[in-house]
Amino acid sequence: MARGLFGALARPEAKSAVDDGEWWKRLLGLGAQSKAGVSVNLDTALRVSTVMACARVLAEGIAQLPLKLYREKVDGGREVAADHPLHALLSRRPNSWMTSFEFRETMTMHAVLTGNAFAVKVTVGGGVRELLPVVPGNVTIERQPDWSVLYKIQDKDGPIGTFTADRVFHLRGPSWNGYAGLDMVKEAREAIGLAIATEENHSRLFSNGTRPSGILSVESPLDKEAIERLRAAWQAGYAGLANASKTIVLDNGAKWSSM
């Protein structure tokens, strides 16, 4: 249904898609290599607990706030425009499958992480009836010579169409060029890459690494059974919090070397 609506709104004379290689790169989540040696993209960034926590706090904080449409009164005051079609669209259900909370949460997540959030306006009889969110990676923004902005949207099946600015609700973050938000994951690539590398390194250390606190050696050779007995006796006598700082007693030329 959404694709059909997109098709109805698209300009048939403007069906050119973005570069296929670039689109597949975005779809598969392939990112640039950071100095830490790991690939940083939206998918890997969201696996960093700090990134996910910050994005979630912002998204849920904005989504839970009441959103109402107001009408300005003659005396300069305001009143809730409950009879306006956009009031129900914004405050309750922007489309057939999302609540207002879910829509704003999704849009904020997109804007926080990619710098841009997009929703296509579905109009009926000149009025907006639905807002359909679009994954930022499926949208290419182009500024025309007359300074107007076009949005080229596509999905895994190919181009959907080209939309003018009045047909797209575009929520942008901090912008350098004025019409597209800065890619936050790209801008923070090195910090996120370092966090990913550090987390992976520590995980491998705990799962695979061994780091003994010292070496207990004796002058005469020991068989396997004697080694196990000596290890068990040492663990029982000196390992653990209860045995901390106890005096070590060694015999038969045994030596303890701290590492």
Side-chain angles (χ1 to χ4, degrees):
M1 176 181 177
R3 186 176 177 83
L5 291 171
F6 282 162
L9 292 172
R11 291 170 45 189
E13 72 277 8
K15 290 290 187 179
S16 60
V18 296
D19 177 72
D20 288 340
E22 181 63 23
W23 186 81
W24 277 107
K25 182 178 178 181
R26 292 200 300 261
L27 177 66
L28 297 174
L30 302 178
Q33 199 86 347
S34 67
K35 293 178 181 177
V38 296
S39 178
V40 178
N41 52 60
L42 184 59
D43 182 54
T44 57
L46 282 173
R47 296 178 188 177
V48 178
S49 57
T50 304
V51 174
M52 183 62 179
C54 292
R56 183 178 178 183
V57 166
L58 291 171
E60 292 183 352
I62 291 176
Q64 68 186 351
L65 296 174
L67 179 60
K68 299 179 180 180
L69 184 67
Y70 289 92
R71 179 185 293 113
E72 186 177 1
K73 301 171 65 174
V74 178
D75 60 3
R78 65 177 186 175
E79 61 181 2
V80 177
D83 57 336
H84 197 288
L86 288 179
H87 182 269
L89 188 76
L90 296 174
S91 64
R92 289 197 291 274
R93 190 165 293 279
N95 53 59
S96 60
W97 72 89
M98 299 178 80
T99 64
S100 176
F101 180 98
E102 294 169 335
F103 176 78
R104 286 181 282 150
E105 181 183 45
T106 298
M107 293 288 285
T108 305
M109 284 284 284
H110 288 174
V112 167
L113 293 169
T114 71
N116 298 282
F118 306 96
V120 173
K121 302 174 186 177
V122 179
T123 59
V124 178
V128 179
R129 293 294 178 263
E130 277 191 310
L131 292 172
L132 306 180
V134 182
V135 177
N138 292 350
V139 182
T140 299
I141 310 172
E142 293 185 359
R143 189 176 67 184
Q144 304 303 300
D146 62 355
W147 288 76
S148 63
V149 177
L150 295 179
Y151 298 86
K152 292 186 176 181
I153 302 177
Q154 62 177 22
D155 61 11
K156 60 183 179 63
D157 296 321
I160 292 177
T162 301
F163 299 79
T164 55
D166 62 327
R167 313 300 283 271
V168 177
F169 171 36
H170 181 189
L171 176 63
R172 66 176 65 85
S175 175
W176 182 257
N177 55 27
Y179 61 88
L182 293 172
D183 187 334
M184 294 296 104
V185 171
K186 180 180 179 181
E187 298 302 321
R189 176 182 298 141
E190 297 306 328
I192 297 173
L194 181 59
I196 295 172
T198 301
E199 185 175 281
E200 182 176 350
N201 180 65
H202 286 187
S203 297
R204 292 181 182 275
L205 174 65
F206 286 116
S207 63
N208 301 322
T210 58
R211 187 179 179 183
S213 59
I215 298 175
L216 184 63
S217 60
V218 295
E219 296 180 353
S220 57
L222 300 175
D223 56 26
K224 184 176 180 180
E225 184 178 351
I227 292 175
E228 292 302 324
R229 284 201 310 270
L230 181 59
R231 181 185 292 113
W234 181 269
Q235 288 292 110
Y238 302 107
L241 184 62
N243 295 321
S245 301
K246 289 178 64 175
T247 302
I248 299 176
V249 179
L250 302 173
D251 60 358
N252 294 329
K255 297 179 180 179
W256 169 257
S257 301
S258 178
M259 296 182 65

